[in-house]
Amino acid sequence: MSKLDPLIVAQLDALLTDEHNPVTIMSNASAALNAAMSDLNWCGFYLYSDATKTLDLGPFQGQIACTHIQPGSGVVGTSYAQNRSLIVPNVHEFAGHIACDAASNSEVVVPLQVADQVVGVLDIDSPSLDRFSEADQAILIEAAAVIAKHLDVQALATVY
Ligand code: SME
């Protein structure tokens, strides 16, 4: 398995500089992460919506996905509700895992925190078991922090 190059963090920062539209930011961020990592089948965002009270599907790369996830449900909802990143080496052993894409076998999630508010989750899936290392996770936590730095709560609220 190839390692995620830590340079992705600076690349994301440069890519997102001077962008203000949250859809634009997350679209290119998901594309950049998807291109930087091998062996993925899904890479994207779920954003909490005050209107639906769920995590709504955001910009992503991959197959059609579940559109709404309850906070506390599945890997994404758990990460959001607990404000912590999780590596799931085998999604079939995670109680409550939501199988959006039958190809997924392992998953890593990182909450997105803008100021002191958790606004959503970065979710990355692989068809391989145990695809994501702690080194990958540490870089993805930094990547999520950089993406969040470019997001604005008020701009997000106009979309989600
Ligand atoms: N597997 C996730 C759902 C989202 S998809 O993987 C895109 C979960 O259990 O929350």
Side-chain angles (χ1 to χ4, degrees), residues 6 48 88 98 103 115 141:
Y48 183 76
V88 183
I98 301 164
I141 288 171

Side-chain angles (χ1 to χ4, degrees), residues 114-138:
V114 178
D116 57 358
Q117 197 174 324
V118 184
V119 298
V121 175
L122 167 66
D123 179 25
I124 304 181
D125 291 36
S126 171
S128 297
L129 289 166
D130 202 13
R131 160 67 183 80
F132 303 103
S133 65
E134 287 185 7
D136 291 334
Q137 183 187 35

Side-chain angles (χ1 to χ4, degrees), residues 42 46 65-66 69 73-77 96-100 104 107 123 125:
W42 205 88
Y46 280 90
C66 309
I69 295 177
S73 287
V75 181
V76 167
H97 167 252
I98 301 164
C100 289
S104 298
E107 186 162 355
D123 179 25
D125 291 36

